[in-house]
Amino acid sequence: MRTFAGVDEVLAAVGERLGPGEWVTVDQKTVDTFADATGDHQWIHVDPERAAQGPFGGPIAHGLLTLSLLPVLLAGLYRIEGVRMGVNYGFNKVRFPAPVAVGSRVRATATVAEVTPLDGAVQVVFATVIEIEGGSKPACVVESVGRFYV
């Protein structure tokens, strides 16, 4: 866990690698709950019996579920002191190079790719890789943009 003592330290951290963080297990209950929340009940996610006969040999997490783990994964990598709040400002790029099999564990590393001072805030681009335990390819590669207000 990297603790930044204010936005000035974040400004000086461009290029710094954070993590890896803790492992998070992606279980079937999480996948099913995500499917209910989004209305995406495709069989490769929610039907373990049918998915066992499918192209991945079992159910896989939705790519967007993997992306939605970003807040919990990043929360284990850094903290910025002296800010009132941080918000998700969006994404520059998102790719899903490998599926996350249900039961797998994922974790993140991130690099502070870009920091832009704003009026009363700082905008940070994190280049994040979500890896799968034992996997040869990442589950997700994403440039996320956060704004932190002082």
Side-chain angles (χ1 to χ4, degrees), residues 15-95:
E16 185 174 330
R17 184 173 182 267
L18 309 173
E22 298 295 319
W23 292 107
V24 172
T25 301
V26 179
D27 60 20
Q28 189 65 55
K29 181 180 178 195
T30 301
V31 170
D32 292 343
T33 301
F34 187 84
D36 289 341
T38 62
D40 182 352
H41 291 93
Q42 187 178 37
W43 61 270
I44 63 172
H45 306 304
V46 299
D47 186 341
E49 289 180 23
R50 186 172 177 195
Q53 305 307 313
F56 304 109
I60 61 169
H62 307 71
L64 291 177
L65 167 57
T66 303
L67 182 63
S68 74
L69 294 174
L70 207 55
V72 71
L73 295 171
L74 289 179
L77 298 182
Y78 73 90
R79 188 167 67 91
I80 304 172
E81 296 177 336
V83 296
R84 288 184 295 125
M85 67 175 182
V87 297
N88 172 9
Y89 192 67
F91 305 100
N92 292 336
K93 286 186 206 176
V94 180
R95 296 290 183 268

Side-chain angles (χ1 to χ4, degrees), residues 9 13 17 48 71 98 111 114 135 142 150:
E9 273 195 18
R17 184 173 182 267
T111 300
E114 183 181 318
V142 55
V150 292

